[in-house]
Amino acid sequence: MTKTTRAVIAAGAGGPEVLSVVDRPRPVPGPGQVLVEVHAAGVNRPDVMQRQGNYPPPPGASDVLGLELAGVVAELGAGVGDLAVGDRVMGLVHSGAYADWAVVDAPIAVRVPDGLSLIEAGGVPETFYTVWSNVFERAALQPGETLLIHGGTSGIGTAAIQLAKARSSRVIVTAGSDAKCQASLDIGADVAINYRAEDFVEAARKATDGRGPDVILDMVGGPYIQRNIDLVAADGRISQIAFQQGSKVEIDMLPLLLKRVTFTASTLRARPVEMKARLARALEEHVMPLLADGTVKPPVDSTYPLADVAKAHARMDGGEHVGKIILLMAPEA
């Protein structure tokens, strides 16, 4: 086992060109942790924000980029008894997934189902944990209700479409082109709205017979915040997971009162291990069986070797991807 690992850091804030692959000491698992030989890691919007200087890692976390990974357990830290060397696992990390080797807290590691490749598994944790937590736990989407997803072809969007449909909900998405709308429909959405061609509020009202969606999942923020409040159904729930167009806006909150709307928001990265472990157990119960039997499958848009991480980020910046962009580390991946 090598004593070093390739790892991706950002040499300053900026575009993909600031990313570089460097050699670092191979991490050592502490008590309750496992060392994973990383085969694949998902590229996510928070990685882009970190590269741009807008989303620093939590205190004490590595400056190596990457929040989700899949690979093979290579070494156990003290006190780990429910995993074994050689297990295929996937998991969330505070940072450090863009590397050949990474340390994962054992309670957060989830065994990869036999029907899922490690490449696909590398794109599961960040998106599926986020969707499960924010759509099904915090916003309590129920069978028969309607979910509106902003950004239907993103990693979050494609996961949310599939999970909502698997649990018998109706799905409306917004996307920025007719091609992306069609891709969302192909993945399983019932209605797709090209927000560049029509007003999504008017179109979503029409698609729900004037009632509005029961749950809205939004990562856009900015001007969408007021429009979501105006659109959501009575007794509806809005789940905010990012603010790509800004978090500071002037809004009229009266519709929240009149329609008895719940507005919830959360981020995942800095949450404690105990919370993420509880979420991991929920995914094992509710989501892993769907991944194992192929009911739900994370769409892989493209793959890049770790050395081409700048190209992977350029693909993310371009916004044309459908599903997950995956970095590959192990040669066999």
Side-chain angles (χ1 to χ4, degrees):
M1 192 182 295
T2 61
K3 298 295 186 182
T4 61
T5 180
R6 293 179 303 161
V8 174
I9 62 169
E17 71 280 356
V18 305
L19 298 175
S20 60
V21 181
V22 299
D23 286 329
R24 288 282 181 88
R26 176 171 54 81
V28 177
Q33 297 179 323
V34 295
L35 177 68
V36 174
E37 181 183 15
V38 181
H39 286 228
V43 176
N44 293 286
R45 189 64 60 182
D47 304 338
V48 172
M49 294 171 60
Q50 180 173 338
R51 185 200 78 211
Q52 295 169 336
N54 298 322
Y55 193 39
S62 164
D63 62 342
V64 176
L65 275 73
L67 303 179
E68 63 178 349
L69 58 83
V72 177
V73 175
E75 185 180 335
L76 305 178
V80 177
D82 53 352
L83 291 171
V85 171
D87 283 350
R88 299 192 324 147
V89 297
M90 55 186 166
L92 291 171
V93 290
H94 291 309
S95 60
Y98 289 13
D100 294 309
W101 302 91
V103 165
V104 180
D105 291 299
I108 301 174
V110 174
R111 287 183 177 86
V112 176
D114 290 339
L116 200 65
S117 72
L118 286 175
I119 293 175
E120 293 168 322
V124 166
E126 175 70 12
T127 48
F128 281 81
Y129 278 54
T130 297
V131 170
W132 184 262
S133 174
N134 289 281
V135 174
F136 297 98
E137 292 188 347
R138 300 179 69 86
L141 179 69
Q142 299 299 309
E145 289 189 325
T146 297
L147 168 67
L148 171 65
I149 305 161
H150 289 303
T153 56
S154 65
I156 293 288
T158 55
I161 290 170
Q162 293 183 81
L163 286 180
K165 292 303 296 181
R167 296 175 67 84
S168 302
S169 296
R170 187 166 181 256
V171 175
I172 302 171
V173 304
T174 64
S177 71
D178 290 343
K180 285 193 168 188
C181 285
Q182 186 58 55
S184 300
L185 295 171
D186 293 342
I187 292 166
D190 298 287
V191 178
I193 302 165
N194 182 344
Y195 64 82
R196 298 184 193 278
E198 56 184 327
D199 180 356
F200 77 76
V201 174
E202 181 180 336
R205 281 202 184 112
K206 181 178 179 180
T208 55
D209 297 323
R211 184 174 181 275
D214 301 284
V215 173
I216 297 177
L217 178 64
D218 183 37
M219 59 199 81
V220 180
Y224 275 39
I225 295 175
Q226 185 67 61
R227 299 174 78 192
N228 290 334
I229 291 172
D230 294 339
L231 170 61
V232 71
D235 296 305
R237 288 85 71 198
I238 299 169
S239 186
Q240 194 78 42
I241 59 171
F243 296 99
Q244 292 175 6
Q245 292 188 17
S247 60
K248 296 181 179 180
V249 293
E250 182 176 329
I251 60 172
D252 178 6
M253 298 187 69
L254 182 60
L256 293 177
L257 185 99
L258 297 178
K259 294 195 287 185
R260 303 171 302 280
V261 173
T262 298
F263 191 107
T264 180
S266 75
T267 186
L268 197 55
R269 185 179 194 179
R271 302 292 289 276
V273 170
E274 294 76 15
M275 176 270 171
K276 293 180 181 177
R278 182 193 60 75
L279 203 48
R281 304 294 79 79
L283 260 73
E284 286 177 334
E285 178 180 356
H286 299 288
V287 177
M288 291 305 126
L290 300 175
L291 289 165
D293 67 14
T295 300
V296 170
K297 205 167 184 67
V300 175
D301 172 83
S302 50
T303 62
Y304 295 85
L306 185 64
D308 288 340
V309 62
K311 293 180 181 178
H313 269 239
R315 175 72 177 168
M316 172 71 79
D317 286 356
E320 296 304 314
H321 60 287
V322 176
K324 295 294 295 196
I325 301 167
I326 305 293
L327 291 173
L328 304 182
M329 288 72 169
E332 59 270 30

